[in-house]
Amino acid sequence: METMLNLIIAAFSLLISSFGILAGAQGIGINYGLLGDNLPSPDKVVGLLNSRNIKLVRLFDPNPIVLTALHNSGIEVILGTLNNDLERLANDPTFANTWVQNNVIPHVQAGTSFRYITAGNEVIPGNLAGFVLSAMQNLDTALTDAKLNIPVSTAISTGVLGVSFPPSQGAFSEASSVDMTGIVGFLASKKTPLLVNVYPYFAYANQPKDVRLDYALFTANGTVVVDGALNYANLFDAIVDAMYSALEKAGHPDVSVVVSETGWPSAGDAIGATVENGMTYNNNAVAHVTSSAGTPRRPGNAIETYIFAMFNEDLKPVGVEQNFGLYHPDMTEVYHVNFP
Protein backbone atom coordinates (compact mmCIF):
# COMPACT_ATOMS: atom_id res chain seq x y z
CA MET A 1 0.00 0.00 0.00
CA GLU A 2 2.79 2.42 0.92
CA THR A 3 4.60 1.67 -2.36
CA MET A 4 1.41 2.28 -4.34
CA LEU A 5 0.80 5.55 -2.47
CA ASN A 6 4.34 6.76 -3.25
CA LEU A 7 3.82 5.96 -6.93
CA ILE A 8 0.58 7.92 -6.98
CA ILE A 9 2.23 10.92 -5.30
CA ALA A 10 5.12 10.82 -7.76
CA ALA A 11 2.75 10.61 -10.73
CA PHE A 12 0.70 13.50 -9.41
CA SER A 13 3.85 15.59 -8.98
CA LEU A 14 4.84 14.86 -12.57
CA LEU A 15 1.38 15.81 -13.80
CA ILE A 16 1.27 19.09 -11.92
CA SER A 17 4.71 20.10 -13.12
CA SER A 18 4.01 19.12 -16.70
CA PHE A 19 1.04 21.46 -16.76
CA GLY A 20 2.91 24.27 -15.05
CA ILE A 21 3.98 25.77 -18.36
CA LEU A 22 0.34 26.10 -19.36
CA ALA A 23 -0.56 27.94 -16.19
CA GLY A 24 2.30 30.43 -16.26
CA ALA A 25 1.43 33.73 -17.83
CA GLN A 26 3.75 35.29 -20.36
CA GLY A 27 6.11 37.61 -18.59
CA ILE A 28 9.66 38.69 -17.93
CA GLY A 29 12.51 36.45 -16.89
CA ILE A 30 16.29 36.44 -16.77
CA ASN A 31 19.23 34.42 -18.08
CA TYR A 32 21.33 32.82 -15.36
CA GLY A 33 24.78 31.96 -16.68
CA LEU A 34 27.66 30.36 -14.82
CA LEU A 35 30.78 31.56 -16.66
CA GLY A 36 32.35 33.17 -13.63
CA ASP A 37 34.73 32.00 -10.93
CA ASN A 38 33.31 34.30 -8.25
CA LEU A 39 29.55 33.85 -8.55
CA PRO A 40 27.31 33.38 -5.51
CA SER A 41 25.95 29.95 -4.62
CA PRO A 42 22.79 28.91 -6.48
CA ASP A 43 20.67 28.89 -3.32
CA LYS A 44 21.54 32.55 -2.77
CA VAL A 45 20.72 33.33 -6.41
CA VAL A 46 17.32 31.67 -6.10
CA GLY A 47 16.67 33.75 -3.01
CA LEU A 48 17.62 36.90 -4.92
CA LEU A 49 15.33 35.96 -7.83
CA ASN A 50 12.39 35.46 -5.50
CA SER A 51 13.13 38.69 -3.64
CA ARG A 52 12.77 40.51 -6.98
CA ASN A 53 9.65 38.52 -7.94
CA ILE A 54 11.43 37.09 -10.99
CA LYS A 55 9.55 33.86 -11.67
CA LEU A 56 11.09 32.84 -15.00
CA VAL A 57 14.73 31.85 -15.47
CA ARG A 58 16.74 30.45 -18.36
CA LEU A 59 19.62 28.03 -17.82
CA PHE A 60 22.12 27.21 -20.56
CA ASP A 61 22.89 23.70 -19.32
CA PRO A 62 21.56 21.22 -16.76
CA ASN A 63 23.78 22.10 -13.82
CA PRO A 64 22.54 19.77 -11.04
CA ILE A 65 23.39 22.16 -8.19
CA VAL A 66 21.40 24.98 -9.79
CA LEU A 67 18.49 22.70 -10.63
CA THR A 68 18.41 21.42 -7.05
CA ALA A 69 18.38 24.98 -5.70
CA LEU A 70 15.30 25.65 -7.84
CA HIS A 71 13.26 22.85 -6.24
CA ASN A 72 9.93 24.18 -4.96
CA SER A 73 11.05 27.76 -5.62
CA GLY A 74 8.02 28.77 -7.67
CA ILE A 75 10.38 29.71 -10.54
CA GLU A 76 9.74 28.26 -13.99
CA VAL A 77 12.81 27.13 -15.92
CA ILE A 78 13.94 27.11 -19.52
CA LEU A 79 16.54 24.35 -19.58
CA GLY A 80 19.10 24.20 -22.38
CA THR A 81 21.24 21.37 -23.62
CA LEU A 82 24.94 21.84 -24.20
CA ASN A 83 25.71 22.54 -27.85
CA ASN A 84 28.30 19.76 -27.67
CA ASP A 85 25.54 17.27 -26.87
CA LEU A 86 23.46 18.03 -29.97
CA GLU A 87 25.04 15.40 -32.21
CA ARG A 88 24.47 12.59 -29.69
CA LEU A 89 20.96 13.81 -28.90
CA ALA A 90 20.18 13.78 -32.62
CA ASN A 91 21.73 10.42 -33.46
CA ASP A 92 21.01 8.41 -30.33
CA PRO A 93 17.44 8.32 -28.95
CA THR A 94 18.74 6.35 -25.97
CA PHE A 95 21.03 9.26 -25.07
CA ALA A 96 18.09 11.67 -25.34
CA ASN A 97 16.09 9.42 -23.03
CA THR A 98 18.96 9.28 -20.55
CA TRP A 99 19.31 13.07 -20.72
CA VAL A 100 15.65 13.46 -19.74
CA GLN A 101 15.91 10.78 -17.06
CA ASN A 102 18.93 12.46 -15.48
CA ASN A 103 18.25 16.16 -15.98
CA VAL A 104 14.48 16.59 -15.98
CA ILE A 105 12.51 13.86 -14.23
CA PRO A 106 14.23 14.00 -10.79
CA HIS A 107 13.75 17.76 -10.64
CA VAL A 108 10.12 17.59 -11.75
CA GLN A 109 9.53 15.08 -8.99
CA ALA A 110 11.16 17.51 -6.55
CA GLY A 111 8.89 20.39 -7.53
CA THR A 112 10.63 22.18 -10.41
CA SER A 113 8.50 23.40 -13.31
CA PHE A 114 10.10 23.41 -16.76
CA ARG A 115 8.73 25.90 -19.24
CA TYR A 116 10.72 24.74 -22.26
CA ILE A 117 13.65 22.48 -23.08
CA THR A 118 15.92 24.04 -25.70
CA ALA A 119 18.13 21.98 -27.99
CA GLY A 120 21.20 24.14 -28.47
CA ASN A 121 21.85 27.86 -28.46
CA GLU A 122 22.78 29.94 -31.51
CA VAL A 123 24.15 27.09 -33.66
CA ILE A 124 22.27 27.99 -36.86
CA PRO A 125 23.86 28.47 -39.35
CA GLY A 126 26.89 26.35 -38.55
CA ASN A 127 28.33 22.86 -38.31
CA LEU A 128 25.85 21.77 -35.64
CA ALA A 129 22.76 23.19 -37.34
CA GLY A 130 21.84 19.90 -39.02
CA PHE A 131 21.53 18.14 -35.66
CA VAL A 132 19.04 20.52 -34.05
CA LEU A 133 15.76 19.20 -35.46
CA SER A 134 16.53 15.54 -34.76
CA ALA A 135 17.72 16.45 -31.26
CA MET A 136 14.44 18.30 -30.67
CA GLN A 137 12.43 15.35 -31.92
CA ASN A 138 14.29 12.82 -29.78
CA LEU A 139 13.97 14.98 -26.68
CA ASP A 140 10.26 15.45 -27.36
CA THR A 141 9.79 11.69 -27.68
CA ALA A 142 11.70 11.07 -24.45
CA LEU A 143 9.57 13.61 -22.60
CA THR A 144 6.36 12.18 -24.03
CA ASP A 145 7.40 8.68 -23.02
CA ALA A 146 7.95 10.03 -19.50
CA LYS A 147 4.41 11.49 -19.54
CA LEU A 148 5.78 15.05 -19.37
CA ASN A 149 4.13 17.85 -21.29
CA ILE A 150 7.20 20.10 -21.65
CA PRO A 151 7.64 21.88 -25.01
CA VAL A 152 10.93 21.47 -26.86
CA SER A 153 12.39 24.30 -28.94
CA THR A 154 15.76 25.84 -29.79
CA ALA A 155 17.29 29.28 -29.27
CA ILE A 156 18.59 31.10 -32.34
CA SER A 157 20.35 34.37 -33.08
CA THR A 158 19.16 36.82 -35.70
CA GLY A 159 22.09 35.52 -37.74
CA VAL A 160 19.57 33.11 -39.30
CA LEU A 161 18.13 36.05 -41.24
CA GLY A 162 19.44 36.87 -44.69
CA VAL A 163 17.27 39.99 -44.82
CA SER A 164 16.12 41.92 -41.75
CA PHE A 165 15.34 45.42 -43.07
CA PRO A 166 12.73 46.60 -43.52
CA PRO A 167 11.01 44.23 -41.09
CA SER A 168 8.40 43.19 -43.64
CA GLN A 169 11.16 41.78 -45.84
CA GLY A 170 12.59 39.56 -43.13
CA ALA A 171 13.62 36.18 -44.52
CA PHE A 172 15.83 33.28 -43.55
CA SER A 173 19.22 33.20 -45.23
CA GLU A 174 20.15 30.59 -47.81
CA ALA A 175 22.55 29.04 -45.27
CA SER A 176 19.80 28.75 -42.64
CA SER A 177 16.70 28.12 -44.70
CA VAL A 178 16.68 24.32 -44.89
CA ASP A 179 17.33 23.84 -41.17
CA MET A 180 14.94 26.58 -40.10
CA THR A 181 12.13 25.31 -42.34
CA GLY A 182 12.27 21.90 -40.70
CA ILE A 183 12.50 23.34 -37.21
CA VAL A 184 9.58 25.75 -37.55
CA GLY A 185 7.49 22.99 -39.12
CA PHE A 186 8.08 20.89 -36.02
CA LEU A 187 7.30 23.83 -33.73
CA ALA A 188 4.08 24.56 -35.61
CA SER A 189 2.98 20.93 -35.26
CA LYS A 190 3.54 21.13 -31.51
CA LYS A 191 2.20 24.69 -31.06
CA THR A 192 5.53 25.63 -29.47
CA PRO A 193 7.30 29.02 -29.82
CA LEU A 194 10.68 29.70 -31.40
CA LEU A 195 13.21 31.24 -28.99
CA VAL A 196 15.13 34.17 -30.46
CA ASN A 197 18.02 36.20 -29.02
CA VAL A 198 17.37 39.87 -29.81
CA TYR A 199 20.13 42.46 -29.39
CA PRO A 200 19.53 46.03 -30.56
CA TYR A 201 22.85 46.86 -28.89
CA PHE A 202 24.91 44.94 -31.44
CA ALA A 203 22.97 46.43 -34.36
CA TYR A 204 23.75 49.89 -32.99
CA ALA A 205 27.38 49.12 -32.10
CA ASN A 206 28.08 47.64 -35.54
CA GLN A 207 26.47 50.52 -37.46
CA PRO A 208 26.36 53.60 -35.20
CA LYS A 209 26.14 55.93 -38.19
CA ASP A 210 23.06 54.17 -39.52
CA VAL A 211 21.27 53.06 -36.33
CA ARG A 212 20.16 55.82 -33.98
CA LEU A 213 20.93 55.32 -30.30
CA ASP A 214 17.49 56.50 -29.21
CA TYR A 215 15.91 53.99 -31.62
CA ALA A 216 17.94 51.19 -30.00
CA LEU A 217 17.19 52.35 -26.42
CA PHE A 218 13.39 52.73 -26.78
CA THR A 219 13.75 56.50 -26.24
CA ALA A 220 12.93 57.83 -29.71
CA ASN A 221 10.21 60.45 -29.73
CA GLY A 222 7.92 59.01 -32.38
CA THR A 223 8.31 56.94 -35.53
CA VAL A 224 11.82 56.25 -36.81
CA VAL A 225 11.17 53.61 -39.48
CA VAL A 226 8.12 53.44 -41.73
CA ASP A 227 7.50 50.03 -43.28
CA GLY A 228 4.40 50.22 -45.42
CA ALA A 229 1.46 50.70 -43.06
CA LEU A 230 3.57 49.87 -39.99
CA ASN A 231 5.51 52.41 -37.94
CA TYR A 232 8.50 51.53 -35.75
CA ALA A 233 9.66 53.62 -32.81
CA ASN A 234 12.17 51.08 -31.48
CA LEU A 235 14.62 48.59 -32.94
CA PHE A 236 13.54 45.73 -30.66
CA ASP A 237 10.11 45.59 -32.34
CA ALA A 238 11.70 45.83 -35.77
CA ILE A 239 13.96 42.84 -35.07
CA VAL A 240 11.13 40.72 -33.65
CA ASP A 241 8.89 41.57 -36.61
CA ALA A 242 11.64 40.73 -39.10
CA MET A 243 11.66 37.26 -37.52
CA TYR A 244 7.87 37.05 -37.79
CA SER A 245 8.13 37.98 -41.47
CA ALA A 246 10.67 35.19 -41.97
CA LEU A 247 8.35 32.72 -40.24
CA GLU A 248 5.50 33.83 -42.49
CA LYS A 249 7.62 33.37 -45.62
CA ALA A 250 8.57 29.90 -44.37
CA GLY A 251 4.86 29.06 -44.28
CA HIS A 252 4.36 29.21 -40.53
CA PRO A 253 2.78 32.49 -39.37
CA ASP A 254 1.31 30.51 -36.48
CA VAL A 255 4.69 30.05 -34.75
CA SER A 256 5.18 32.65 -32.03
CA VAL A 257 8.43 34.21 -30.85
CA VAL A 258 9.82 34.16 -27.32
CA VAL A 259 12.74 36.55 -26.78
CA SER A 260 15.20 34.27 -25.01
CA GLU A 261 17.89 36.94 -24.62
CA THR A 262 18.03 40.71 -24.77
CA GLY A 263 20.24 43.15 -22.92
CA TRP A 264 22.79 45.95 -23.05
CA PRO A 265 26.37 46.04 -21.69
CA SER A 266 27.25 48.48 -18.94
CA ALA A 267 30.98 48.53 -19.68
CA GLY A 268 33.62 46.95 -21.91
CA ASP A 269 35.39 49.85 -23.61
CA ALA A 270 32.99 49.80 -26.57
CA ILE A 271 30.62 52.28 -28.17
CA GLY A 272 27.41 52.74 -26.18
CA ALA A 273 28.46 50.37 -23.38
CA THR A 274 27.64 52.45 -20.31
CA VAL A 275 25.74 51.98 -17.07
CA GLU A 276 23.28 54.69 -18.09
CA ASN A 277 22.51 53.03 -21.42
CA GLY A 278 22.22 49.59 -19.83
CA MET A 279 19.78 50.86 -17.24
CA THR A 280 17.77 52.76 -19.85
CA TYR A 281 17.55 49.85 -22.26
CA ASN A 282 16.64 47.14 -19.78
CA ASN A 283 14.07 49.21 -17.89
CA ASN A 284 12.44 50.25 -21.16
CA ALA A 285 12.55 46.69 -22.48
CA VAL A 286 10.85 45.33 -19.36
CA ALA A 287 8.18 48.02 -19.49
CA HIS A 288 7.59 47.46 -23.20
CA VAL A 289 7.31 43.68 -23.28
CA THR A 290 5.03 43.53 -20.22
CA SER A 291 2.72 46.27 -21.49
CA SER A 292 0.73 44.05 -23.90
CA ALA A 293 1.47 46.56 -26.66
CA GLY A 294 3.11 43.83 -28.71
CA THR A 295 4.86 44.78 -31.94
CA PRO A 296 3.45 46.56 -34.99
CA ARG A 297 3.16 43.23 -36.81
CA ARG A 298 1.79 41.38 -33.77
CA PRO A 299 -0.01 44.01 -31.67
CA GLY A 300 -1.85 43.48 -28.43
CA ASN A 301 0.22 40.72 -26.83
CA ALA A 302 2.84 40.70 -24.10
CA ILE A 303 6.17 39.33 -25.35
CA GLU A 304 7.68 36.65 -23.14
CA THR A 305 11.24 37.95 -22.70
CA TYR A 306 14.39 36.99 -20.78
CA ILE A 307 16.87 39.72 -19.86
CA PHE A 308 20.53 38.92 -20.40
CA ALA A 309 21.93 38.47 -17.85
CA MET A 310 21.82 37.91 -14.12
CA PHE A 311 25.52 38.54 -13.38
CA ASN A 312 28.65 39.98 -14.89
CA GLU A 313 30.66 36.84 -15.69
CA ASP A 314 34.44 37.14 -15.62
CA LEU A 315 35.23 33.94 -17.55
CA LYS A 316 33.62 35.28 -20.70
CA PRO A 317 35.74 37.04 -23.37
CA VAL A 318 37.15 40.36 -22.16
CA GLY A 319 35.03 43.35 -23.18
CA VAL A 320 31.30 43.82 -23.39
CA GLU A 321 30.62 40.08 -23.03
CA GLN A 322 31.68 40.28 -19.38
CA ASN A 323 29.39 43.22 -18.66
CA PHE A 324 25.78 42.34 -19.46
CA GLY A 325 24.84 41.54 -15.87
CA LEU A 326 22.27 43.34 -13.77
CA TYR A 327 24.25 42.26 -10.70
CA HIS A 328 27.87 42.07 -9.65
CA PRO A 329 29.00 38.67 -8.34
CA ASP A 330 28.59 39.98 -4.77
CA MET A 331 24.87 40.41 -5.60
CA THR A 332 24.94 44.21 -5.50
CA GLU A 333 23.20 45.89 -8.41
CA VAL A 334 25.12 47.19 -11.41
CA TYR A 335 22.00 49.34 -11.83
CA HIS A 336 18.36 48.96 -10.87
CA VAL A 337 15.75 47.41 -13.13
CA ASN A 338 12.08 47.63 -12.25
CA PHE A 339 10.62 44.14 -12.57
CA PRO A 340 6.82 43.96 -12.34
Side-chain angles (χ1 to χ4, degrees):
M1 179 65 72
E2 183 178 355
T3 300
M4 180 61 71
L5 181 60
N6 287 338
L7 287 172
I8 292 171
I9 291 171
F12 184 73
S13 176
L14 287 169
L15 183 64
I16 292 297
S17 293
S18 71
F19 280 96
I21 59 104
L22 300 177
Q26 288 185 336
I28 191 79
I30 199 161
N31 287 266
Y32 175 18
L34 297 170
L35 295 179
D37 59 10
N38 54 358
L39 298 176
S41 62
D43 60 319
K44 291 181 179 177
V45 176
V46 170
L48 178 59
L49 290 169
N50 273 322
S51 75
R52 297 300 313 279
N53 198 35
I54 299 171
K55 296 300 183 182
L56 300 172
V57 69
R58 179 180 176 221
L59 305 178
F60 293 91
D61 63 85
N63 181 290
I65 300 174
V66 174
L67 287 169
T68 299
L70 286 161
H71 290 174
N72 294 310
S73 64
I75 297 171
E76 288 186 278
V77 180
I78 297 179
L79 180 61
T81 71
L82 292 169
N83 289 344
N84 290 339
D85 283 341
L86 283 172
E87 185 172 1
R88 287 188 69 191
L89 287 166
N91 293 332
D92 185 356
T94 301
F95 179 69
N97 184 66
T98 300
W99 194 96
V100 169
Q101 294 288 331
N102 291 342
N103 300 313
V104 179
I105 291 176
H107 302 291
V108 169
Q109 292 174 331
T112 298
S113 178
F114 291 97
R115 196 164 181 82
Y116 315 107
I117 305 295
T118 56
N121 181 53
E122 294 190 343
V123 299
I124 307 169
N127 295 334
L128 295 174
F131 299 117
V132 174
L133 176 58
S134 294
M136 291 169 61
Q137 291 169 329
N138 285 340
L139 286 166
D140 180 71
T141 298
L143 290 162
T144 300
D145 289 346
K147 304 297 190 291
L148 292 174
N149 184 28
I150 303 174
V152 179
S153 188
T154 189
I156 61 171
S157 76
T158 51
V160 302
L161 297 176
V163 179
S164 59
F165 184 85
S168 62
Q169 297 304 304
F172 294 125
S173 69
E174 184 176 348
S176 302
S177 182
V178 171
D179 294 310
M180 288 305 303
T181 297
I183 288 166
V184 298
F186 172 82
L187 294 175
S189 73
K190 299 291 183 177
K191 296 181 172 54
T192 298
L194 175 66
L195 276 63
V196 183
N197 299 339
V198 175
Y199 283 101
Y201 169 74
F202 289 116
Y204 164 72
N206 291 333
Q207 295 180 294
K209 293 182 179 179
D210 299 319
V211 178
R212 286 169 40 179
L213 180 60
D214 61 348
Y215 185 52
L217 290 175
F218 294 91
T219 57
N221 186 19
T223 298
V224 176
V225 170
V226 176
D227 183 11
L230 302 180
N231 298 323
Y232 290 87
N234 68 78
L235 183 53
F236 178 96
D237 283 352
I239 295 172
V240 172
D241 277 357
M243 190 63 66
Y244 273 122
S245 293
L247 290 167
E248 292 166 12
K249 291 179 178 66
H252 291 289
D254 51 334
V255 174
S256 61
V257 167
V258 166
V259 176
S260 41
E261 295 179 25
T262 195
W264 195 285
S266 61
D269 194 26
I271 185 169
T274 68
V275 169
E276 181 181 4
N277 286 343
M279 181 169 60
T280 298
Y281 178 81
N282 281 319
N283 276 288
N284 286 339
V286 169
H288 179 66
V289 301
T290 58
S291 70
S292 296
T295 68
R297 200 170 191 88
R298 293 286 192 277
N301 294 302
I303 306 167
E304 184 178 338
T305 299
Y306 295 76
I307 298 297
F308 189 89
M310 188 75 187
F311 295 105
N312 286 339
E313 299 170 58
D314 66 350
L315 297 183
K316 289 191 168 186
V318 173
V320 295
E321 292 290 339
Q322 292 186 349
N323 292 283
F324 274 87
L326 304 189
Y327 288 89
H328 297 289
D330 65 1
M331 298 202 302
T332 59
E333 290 182 327
V334 177
Y335 50 81
H336 185 72
V337 173
N338 294 311
F339 287 93

